[in-house]
Amino acid sequence: RYLGREWRRVQDGYEVRIPECYWTATLAKAGLQHCKPVMTPGESGTVHEDPDAPQLDKQQHSLYRTLVGRLMWTLAERPDLAFVSKELARKVQAPTTQDWQRLKRLLRYAQRTKSWTLFLGQGFCGGDNEVSVLTDASWASSAGRKSTSGGTIFFGGVLLQTWSRTQSVVALSSCEAEFLAVGTAVQEGALVQHVLAELGVTAKLRVYCDSSSARQLANKRGVGRLKHMQIRELFVQEEVRAGRLELAAISSVDNLADLLTKALTRTRHDELCRLFGL
């Protein structure tokens, strides 16, 4: 055990997991230790907010914050929980009974998967000495019509990092949402690249994106018709022109970051979990 996680060396890599006792304690806090498990962490499709849903009382509100915090602690080893946990965390200030039901569903999914491990090794590998960043965005999928950026970083076939984040601005098109997601991916990938450089490893940075319009925009000079976009996002174009970044195409079917941007059907969810090594 190390830092609350359980590690095991296996053939061609490592396995890491959150101890089952952690999940048992979390479920017990919610009174769901004997609950019926479900197959996915959230309902696929558009989530409709109920403006008339009552807010939780003080005691339930405190429990909601505790449970969401315990879920957020597991996300490095459980990317399948990232999107729904992120959405629940956005409501932590004033959760409603509707949010409580979504939290219970996520915990029922955790009941089914509490023994899952994450295999590190033989994952996505775009090339030798390449920091491979897969990125995706779900346009206007969250409350307030803000989009969600998702990304994952691999080096040498080993998963290093994942994220699921609500974009800070409202994207006016799917191209803009994808391009903003690429901007986040470049920043996170560059950080890993710099850490490797400190260790004496020279690695190139390649970002994989399934949006052809976002890739085309990155290879242009200037914003064209997207003049409303913030200047800070245009550094992606500068990185491409300087040769420090390569933007590559990937099919939507093979894009692992899709797991981090939306709730999926069971078939698609299970497929991406397998590709992640879960």
Side-chain angles (χ1 to χ4, degrees):
R1 288 196 178 190
Y2 180 67
L3 296 179
R5 277 80 171 174
E6 294 179 346
W7 297 78
R8 178 171 61 187
R9 186 163 190 166
V10 295
Q11 184 176 5
D12 300 323
Y14 293 85
E15 285 183 348
V16 58
R17 73 170 184 174
I18 304 298
E20 284 196 47
C21 59
Y22 183 88
W23 291 116
T24 301
T26 301
L27 290 164
K29 279 184 176 292
L32 297 174
Q33 60 268 43
H34 303 298
C35 66
K36 182 178 180 181
V38 294
M39 306 307 293
T40 59
E43 295 183 9
S44 60
T46 304
V47 176
H48 298 285
E49 299 289 340
D50 182 5
D52 299 322
Q55 292 189 0
L56 301 181
D57 59 36
K58 187 175 181 179
Q59 184 176 1
Q60 275 192 310
H61 187 181
S62 177
L63 180 59
Y64 181 94
R65 290 198 307 269
T66 298
L67 293 172
V68 170
R70 291 181 69 89
L71 288 167
M72 297 289 284
W73 185 79
T74 70
L75 298 188
E77 293 73 33
R78 293 296 303 271
D80 54 325
L81 308 179
F83 173 72
V84 178
S85 295
K86 182 266 294 184
E87 290 294 297
L88 292 172
R90 294 184 68 202
K91 303 296 187 66
V92 75
Q93 186 174 1
T96 66
T97 54
Q98 187 179 28
D99 300 319
W100 179 254
Q101 292 303 316
R102 293 171 185 163
L103 174 59
K104 288 174 63 177
R105 179 190 173 95
L106 181 56
L107 291 172
R108 290 171 62 197
Y109 172 77
Q111 172 79 301
R112 181 177 79 90
T113 61
K114 60 185 179 182
S115 64
W116 278 19
T117 62
L118 177 64
F119 177 69
L120 302 175
Q122 296 187 332
F124 185 90
C125 187
D128 295 334
N129 287 335
E130 174 186 294
V131 177
S132 305
V133 188
L134 283 69
T135 182
D136 195 19
S138 181
W139 181 39
S141 59
S142 300
R145 290 303 176 189
K146 289 186 176 181
S147 305
T148 295
S149 297
T152 178
I153 302 178
F154 289 87
F155 181 71
V158 177
L159 177 66
L160 298 183
Q161 182 183 354
T162 63
W163 64 87
S164 178
R165 301 173 187 166
T166 302
Q167 295 180 358
S168 59
V169 297
V170 177
L172 302 184
S173 66
S174 59
C175 172
E176 183 179 345
E178 295 280 1
F179 193 70
L180 293 172
V182 169
T184 300
V186 175
Q187 295 176 52
E188 298 293 343
L191 174 60
V192 172
Q193 191 181 35
H194 293 158
V195 171
L196 289 172
E198 291 289 332
L199 298 173
V201 179
T202 301
K204 60 183 178 180
L205 175 61
R206 180 176 291 167
V207 174
Y208 293 83
C209 174
D210 59 11
S211 170
S212 58
S213 58
R215 295 195 303 271
Q216 291 171 6
L217 180 58
N219 285 282
K220 288 181 178 179
R221 184 180 293 272
V223 295
R225 290 180 294 178
L226 300 177
K227 293 182 179 179
H228 59 279
M229 290 187 64
Q230 298 182 29
I231 299 299
R232 67 182 179 86
E233 304 300 341
L234 299 184
F235 85 99
V236 174
Q237 294 181 344
E238 181 62 32
E239 293 295 294
V240 172
R241 286 197 297 272
R244 294 187 290 267
L245 166 67
E246 182 178 343
L247 204 58
I250 188 171
S251 70
S252 298
V253 174
D254 298 325
N255 194 347
L256 277 67
D258 195 31
L259 182 67
L260 305 163
T261 62
K262 61 180 77 69
L264 302 167
T265 62
R266 177 185 174 183
T267 301
R268 178 65 172 159
H269 178 83
D270 290 347
E271 177 187 10
L272 290 177
C273 285
R274 179 182 57 80
L275 292 175
F276 260 109
L278 283 168

